[in-house]
Amino acid sequence: MANENTTLVIGGTGRVGRRVTQKLDKRGVNVKVASRSGVPPFDWEKPDTWNSGIFTGVKSAYIMFYPEVEWPGASESVGTVARIAADAGVQRLVLLSARNQEEAVLCEDAVTSLPVEWTIVAPASFNQNFDEGVFLEPLRQGVLALPCGDNSDPFIDANDIADVVVAALTEDRHVGQRYELTGPRLWTFAEGVAEIARATGRELRYQPITREEFADAVVADGAPREFADPLATLISEFFDGRNSSLTDGVERALGRKPRDFADWVAEVAPTGVWKAA
Protein backbone atom coordinates (compact mmCIF):
# COMPACT_ATOMS: atom_id res chain seq x y z
CA MET A 1 0.00 0.00 0.00
CA ALA A 2 1.18 3.51 -0.75
CA ASN A 3 1.82 5.98 2.02
CA GLU A 4 2.97 9.58 2.01
CA ASN A 5 6.62 8.52 1.65
CA THR A 6 6.12 6.00 -1.16
CA THR A 7 8.48 5.89 -4.14
CA LEU A 8 6.93 4.73 -7.41
CA VAL A 9 9.10 2.84 -9.89
CA ILE A 10 7.71 2.98 -13.43
CA GLY A 11 9.39 0.21 -15.35
CA GLY A 12 10.16 -1.61 -12.12
CA THR A 13 10.51 -5.00 -13.79
CA GLY A 14 13.11 -3.85 -16.34
CA ARG A 15 16.89 -4.16 -16.16
CA VAL A 16 17.41 -0.88 -14.31
CA GLY A 17 14.02 -0.63 -12.62
CA ARG A 18 14.29 -4.09 -11.06
CA ARG A 19 17.60 -3.13 -9.52
CA VAL A 20 16.26 0.23 -8.37
CA THR A 21 13.38 -1.52 -6.59
CA GLN A 22 15.70 -3.99 -4.89
CA LYS A 23 18.10 -1.29 -3.73
CA LEU A 24 15.27 0.90 -2.39
CA ASP A 25 13.87 -2.10 -0.54
CA LYS A 26 17.25 -2.64 1.12
CA ARG A 27 17.18 0.99 2.27
CA GLY A 28 13.80 0.44 3.84
CA VAL A 29 12.01 2.71 1.38
CA ASN A 30 8.32 2.02 0.77
CA VAL A 31 8.21 1.10 -2.92
CA LYS A 32 5.37 0.63 -5.39
CA VAL A 33 6.08 -0.83 -8.83
CA ALA A 34 4.06 0.42 -11.79
CA SER A 35 3.65 -2.33 -14.38
CA ARG A 36 1.11 -3.86 -16.73
CA SER A 37 0.27 -6.48 -14.11
CA GLY A 38 0.19 -4.00 -11.21
CA VAL A 39 -2.85 -2.82 -9.24
CA PRO A 40 -3.81 -0.46 -10.70
CA PRO A 41 -2.05 -1.40 -13.96
CA PHE A 42 0.26 0.92 -15.89
CA ASP A 43 1.07 0.37 -19.54
CA TRP A 44 2.89 2.87 -21.78
CA GLU A 45 0.94 1.51 -24.75
CA LYS A 46 -2.44 2.13 -23.06
CA PRO A 47 -2.95 5.83 -22.18
CA ASP A 48 -6.12 5.00 -20.27
CA THR A 49 -3.87 3.49 -17.58
CA TRP A 50 -2.03 6.79 -17.11
CA ASN A 51 -4.15 8.19 -14.32
CA SER A 52 -3.53 9.89 -11.02
CA GLY A 53 -4.48 6.73 -9.13
CA ILE A 54 -1.04 5.21 -9.53
CA PHE A 55 0.47 8.32 -7.92
CA THR A 56 -1.76 8.34 -4.83
CA GLY A 57 0.46 8.80 -1.79
CA VAL A 58 3.60 8.91 -3.94
CA LYS A 59 6.35 11.35 -2.94
CA SER A 60 8.94 10.51 -5.59
CA ALA A 61 8.91 8.56 -8.85
CA TYR A 62 11.34 6.98 -11.28
CA ILE A 63 10.26 7.18 -14.92
CA MET A 64 11.54 4.74 -17.52
CA PHE A 65 9.78 4.85 -20.89
CA TYR A 66 9.16 1.65 -22.86
CA PRO A 67 10.52 0.65 -25.31
CA GLU A 68 13.16 3.39 -25.22
CA VAL A 69 13.21 7.07 -24.38
CA GLU A 70 14.62 7.69 -27.87
CA TRP A 71 11.55 6.08 -29.47
CA PRO A 72 9.57 8.35 -31.82
CA GLY A 73 6.86 10.15 -29.85
CA ALA A 74 8.26 9.19 -26.45
CA SER A 75 8.36 12.80 -25.28
CA GLU A 76 4.62 13.26 -25.64
CA SER A 77 3.92 10.21 -23.49
CA VAL A 78 6.58 11.03 -20.91
CA GLY A 79 5.38 14.62 -20.72
CA THR A 80 1.79 13.55 -20.14
CA VAL A 81 2.67 11.09 -17.39
CA ALA A 82 5.05 13.56 -15.73
CA ARG A 83 2.33 16.23 -15.68
CA ILE A 84 -0.15 13.78 -14.17
CA ALA A 85 2.42 12.96 -11.48
CA ALA A 86 3.08 16.63 -10.71
CA ASP A 87 -0.64 17.41 -10.57
CA ALA A 88 -1.12 14.45 -8.20
CA GLY A 89 1.40 15.94 -5.77
CA VAL A 90 4.56 13.96 -6.59
CA GLN A 91 7.47 16.11 -5.39
CA ARG A 92 10.42 14.46 -7.13
CA LEU A 93 10.88 12.86 -10.55
CA VAL A 94 13.94 10.96 -11.77
CA LEU A 95 13.97 10.30 -15.52
CA LEU A 96 16.02 7.62 -17.24
CA SER A 97 17.11 9.41 -20.40
CA ALA A 98 19.79 8.78 -23.03
CA ARG A 99 22.89 10.48 -24.37
CA ASN A 100 22.78 12.77 -27.40
CA GLN A 101 19.36 11.76 -28.71
CA GLU A 102 16.86 14.37 -29.90
CA GLU A 103 13.74 12.62 -28.59
CA ALA A 104 15.43 12.01 -25.25
CA VAL A 105 16.18 15.73 -24.92
CA LEU A 106 12.50 16.48 -25.51
CA CYS A 107 11.62 14.00 -22.76
CA GLU A 108 14.03 15.75 -20.43
CA ASP A 109 12.51 19.14 -21.24
CA ALA A 110 9.05 17.77 -20.49
CA VAL A 111 10.19 16.84 -16.97
CA THR A 112 12.47 19.77 -16.13
CA SER A 113 9.78 22.29 -17.11
CA LEU A 114 7.47 21.07 -14.36
CA PRO A 115 7.28 22.52 -10.82
CA VAL A 116 8.92 19.47 -9.24
CA GLU A 117 12.34 18.42 -8.00
CA TRP A 118 14.01 16.57 -10.86
CA THR A 119 17.12 14.62 -11.77
CA ILE A 120 18.06 13.37 -15.23
CA VAL A 121 20.06 10.14 -15.57
CA ALA A 122 21.39 9.59 -19.11
CA PRO A 123 23.49 6.41 -19.40
CA ALA A 124 25.55 4.77 -22.09
CA SER A 125 24.58 1.32 -23.39
CA PHE A 126 24.01 -1.24 -20.62
CA ASN A 127 26.39 -4.15 -20.02
CA GLN A 128 23.23 -6.15 -19.38
CA ASN A 129 22.22 -5.89 -23.04
CA PHE A 130 24.74 -8.71 -23.46
CA ASP A 131 23.30 -11.12 -20.87
CA GLU A 132 19.68 -10.01 -20.32
CA GLY A 133 18.78 -8.05 -23.44
CA VAL A 134 18.72 -8.17 -27.22
CA PHE A 135 22.37 -9.20 -27.63
CA LEU A 136 22.06 -12.45 -25.65
CA GLU A 137 20.53 -14.85 -28.17
CA PRO A 138 22.84 -13.79 -31.02
CA LEU A 139 25.82 -14.38 -28.72
CA ARG A 140 24.51 -17.81 -27.86
CA GLN A 141 24.37 -18.46 -31.59
CA GLY A 142 27.94 -17.24 -31.96
CA VAL A 143 27.53 -14.04 -34.01
CA LEU A 144 26.40 -10.60 -32.84
CA ALA A 145 25.36 -8.67 -35.95
CA LEU A 146 24.54 -4.98 -35.42
CA PRO A 147 24.33 -1.77 -37.47
CA CYS A 148 27.03 -0.11 -35.35
CA GLY A 149 30.11 -0.23 -37.55
CA ASP A 150 33.39 -0.02 -35.67
CA ASN A 151 32.28 2.76 -33.35
CA SER A 152 32.97 2.51 -29.64
CA ASP A 153 30.78 2.96 -26.59
CA PRO A 154 31.57 3.19 -22.85
CA PHE A 155 29.34 0.29 -21.74
CA ILE A 156 28.00 0.72 -18.21
CA ASP A 157 26.75 -1.71 -15.56
CA ALA A 158 23.02 -1.37 -14.84
CA ASN A 159 23.88 -1.61 -11.14
CA ASP A 160 25.85 1.64 -11.41
CA ILE A 161 22.87 3.26 -13.12
CA ALA A 162 20.52 1.97 -10.43
CA ASP A 163 22.80 3.28 -7.68
CA VAL A 164 22.64 6.76 -9.19
CA VAL A 165 18.85 6.57 -9.58
CA VAL A 166 18.40 5.47 -5.97
CA ALA A 167 20.66 8.26 -4.75
CA ALA A 168 18.64 10.78 -6.79
CA LEU A 169 15.37 9.47 -5.37
CA THR A 170 16.53 9.55 -1.76
CA GLU A 171 19.12 12.34 -1.44
CA ASP A 172 18.46 16.06 -1.88
CA ARG A 173 21.89 16.93 -3.31
CA HIS A 174 21.01 15.46 -6.70
CA VAL A 175 18.02 17.73 -7.31
CA GLY A 176 18.47 19.72 -10.52
CA GLN A 177 21.38 17.59 -11.72
CA ARG A 178 21.82 15.89 -15.08
CA TYR A 179 24.15 12.91 -14.95
CA GLU A 180 25.56 11.34 -18.10
CA LEU A 181 26.76 7.91 -17.02
CA THR A 182 29.47 5.88 -18.73
CA GLY A 183 31.81 3.07 -17.90
CA PRO A 184 35.50 3.85 -17.33
CA ARG A 185 36.69 3.09 -20.89
CA LEU A 186 35.53 2.79 -24.48
CA TRP A 187 34.81 -0.54 -26.16
CA THR A 188 34.02 -1.37 -29.76
CA PHE A 189 31.54 -4.20 -30.19
CA ALA A 190 34.31 -6.32 -31.66
CA GLU A 191 36.34 -5.78 -28.48
CA GLY A 192 33.34 -6.45 -26.23
CA VAL A 193 32.47 -9.69 -27.99
CA ALA A 194 36.14 -10.75 -27.92
CA GLU A 195 36.18 -10.16 -24.16
CA ILE A 196 33.18 -12.45 -23.72
CA ALA A 197 34.84 -15.02 -25.99
CA ARG A 198 37.97 -15.00 -23.84
CA ALA A 199 35.99 -15.38 -20.64
CA THR A 200 33.84 -18.23 -21.98
CA GLY A 201 36.33 -20.03 -24.18
CA ARG A 202 33.89 -19.84 -27.08
CA GLU A 203 34.42 -18.71 -30.66
CA LEU A 204 32.33 -15.56 -30.92
CA ARG A 205 32.44 -12.71 -33.39
CA TYR A 206 30.90 -9.35 -34.08
CA GLN A 207 29.56 -8.64 -37.57
CA PRO A 208 28.78 -5.09 -38.70
CA ILE A 209 25.66 -4.95 -40.86
CA THR A 210 23.50 -2.21 -42.36
CA ARG A 211 20.46 -0.71 -40.70
CA GLU A 212 18.26 -2.31 -43.36
CA GLU A 213 19.80 -5.74 -42.85
CA PHE A 214 19.23 -5.47 -39.11
CA ALA A 215 15.59 -4.43 -39.55
CA ASP A 216 14.99 -7.32 -41.96
CA ALA A 217 16.46 -9.75 -39.43
CA VAL A 218 14.18 -8.44 -36.69
CA VAL A 219 11.17 -8.91 -38.96
CA ALA A 220 12.37 -12.41 -39.84
CA ASP A 221 12.36 -13.18 -36.12
CA GLY A 222 8.67 -12.31 -35.97
CA ALA A 223 8.54 -8.62 -35.05
CA PRO A 224 6.32 -6.24 -37.06
CA ARG A 225 7.99 -3.92 -39.55
CA GLU A 226 6.67 -0.85 -37.69
CA PHE A 227 8.75 -1.96 -34.69
CA ALA A 228 11.81 -3.23 -36.55
CA ASP A 229 12.49 -0.10 -38.61
CA PRO A 230 12.50 2.39 -35.68
CA LEU A 231 14.59 -0.05 -33.62
CA ALA A 232 17.18 -0.31 -36.37
CA THR A 233 17.32 3.47 -36.67
CA LEU A 234 17.61 3.91 -32.91
CA ILE A 235 20.51 1.45 -32.59
CA SER A 236 22.39 2.75 -35.62
CA GLU A 237 22.11 6.36 -34.42
CA PHE A 238 22.99 5.64 -30.79
CA PHE A 239 26.16 3.84 -31.91
CA ASP A 240 27.15 6.12 -34.79
CA GLY A 241 30.05 7.60 -32.83
CA ARG A 242 28.19 10.45 -31.15
CA ASN A 243 28.49 8.65 -27.81
CA SER A 244 32.11 7.55 -28.14
CA SER A 245 33.29 9.57 -25.16
CA LEU A 246 33.65 9.19 -21.39
CA THR A 247 32.00 11.21 -18.63
CA ASP A 248 32.43 11.52 -14.88
CA GLY A 249 28.72 11.20 -14.08
CA VAL A 250 29.04 8.17 -11.81
CA GLU A 251 31.88 9.78 -9.88
CA ARG A 252 29.98 13.06 -9.49
CA ALA A 253 26.87 11.30 -8.25
CA LEU A 254 28.38 8.54 -6.12
CA GLY A 255 31.96 9.55 -5.36
CA ARG A 256 33.38 6.37 -6.90
CA LYS A 257 34.38 5.04 -10.29
CA PRO A 258 32.03 2.94 -12.44
CA ARG A 259 32.61 -0.76 -12.92
CA ASP A 260 34.66 -1.86 -15.91
CA PHE A 261 33.03 -4.01 -18.60
CA ALA A 262 35.82 -6.62 -18.38
CA ASP A 263 35.26 -7.07 -14.64
CA TRP A 264 31.55 -7.49 -15.26
CA VAL A 265 32.16 -10.10 -17.98
CA ALA A 266 34.50 -12.04 -15.69
CA GLU A 267 31.74 -12.25 -13.06
CA VAL A 268 28.94 -13.19 -15.45
CA ALA A 269 30.76 -15.76 -17.59
CA PRO A 270 30.82 -18.52 -14.92
CA THR A 271 27.01 -18.43 -14.73
CA GLY A 272 26.88 -20.12 -18.14
CA VAL A 273 24.51 -17.56 -19.60
CA TRP A 274 26.58 -17.40 -22.80
CA LYS A 275 26.66 -21.14 -23.47
CA ALA A 276 25.97 -22.13 -27.03
CA ALA A 277 22.27 -22.38 -27.86
Side-chain angles (χ1 to χ4, degrees):
M1 296 294 291
N3 61 42
E4 62 182 8
N5 293 314
T6 294
T7 293
L8 180 71
V9 180
I10 297 177
T13 58
R15 278 163 289 172
V16 176
R18 184 176 75 252
R19 290 169 168 84
V20 168
T21 298
Q22 293 168 347
K23 292 174 185 293
L24 288 171
D25 279 336
K26 288 183 179 179
R27 290 194 179 203
V29 176
N30 193 61
V31 182
K32 181 169 73 169
V33 174
S35 67
R36 285 173 289 187
S37 59
V39 180
F42 179 91
D43 188 336
W44 283 110
E45 297 179 344
K46 297 179 179 179
D48 60 323
T49 66
W50 310 348
N51 57 72
S52 59
I54 65 169
F55 296 107
T56 300
V58 171
K59 182 178 181 180
S60 59
Y62 163 75
I63 300 177
M64 184 277 174
F65 179 77
Y66 176 86
E68 299 287 349
V69 75
E70 308 98 305
W71 203 257
S75 58
E76 182 176 350
S77 298
V78 168
T80 298
V81 170
R83 286 194 299 273
I84 292 172
D87 290 344
V90 176
Q91 299 175 25
R92 180 173 299 179
L93 297 176
V94 177
L95 174 69
L96 186 69
S97 187
R99 304 177 73 202
N100 301 312
Q101 300 290 315
E102 182 178 350
E103 191 67 27
V105 171
L106 295 175
C107 289
E108 294 177 19
D109 292 343
V111 171
T112 59
S113 64
L114 294 171
V116 296
E117 299 174 346
W118 56 263
T119 305
I120 304 299
V121 178
S125 179
F126 307 169
N127 295 355
Q128 282 73 13
N129 285 329
F130 291 88
D131 75 328
E132 298 178 22
V134 295
F135 303 159
L136 176 57
E137 287 307 316
L139 284 170
R140 286 175 169 169
Q141 297 291 336
V143 180
L144 179 60
L146 294 171
C148 304
D150 296 323
N151 297 307
S152 60
D153 193 76
F155 306 135
I156 185 168
D157 191 333
N159 284 293
D160 285 334
I161 303 170
D163 282 341
V164 175
V165 170
V166 169
L169 288 167
T170 58
E171 301 169 9
D172 293 342
R173 67 187 183 88
H174 304 288
V175 172
Q177 295 295 314
R178 183 181 188 275
Y179 295 118
E180 282 199 20
L181 309 181
T182 72
R185 56 175 165 154
L186 293 167
W187 295 78
T188 65
F189 276 95
E191 292 168 339
V193 171
E195 188 67 27
I196 295 173
R198 281 191 290 271
T200 59
R202 293 189 59 204
E203 291 188 9
L204 305 173
R205 64 185 175 90
Y206 164 66
Q207 179 179 329
I209 59 175
T210 67
R211 179 176 60 184
E212 292 74 21
E213 288 172 331
F214 180 83
D216 289 345
V218 173
V219 171
D221 285 339
R225 175 62 66 176
E226 57 266 27
F227 175 83
D229 285 342
L231 178 64
T233 297
L234 185 156
I235 291 177
S236 62
E237 289 183 352
F238 193 87
F239 297 106
D240 65 3
R242 71 183 69 185
N243 292 314
S244 298
S245 61
L246 304 178
T247 70
D248 63 353
V250 172
E251 293 170 273
R252 286 198 298 118
L254 303 177
R256 64 166 176 81
K257 292 185 178 298
R259 191 180 194 191
D260 187 73
F261 180 75
D263 294 333
W264 175 81
V265 169
E267 180 180 284
V268 174
T271 68
V273 70
W274 290 308
K275 287 183 179 178

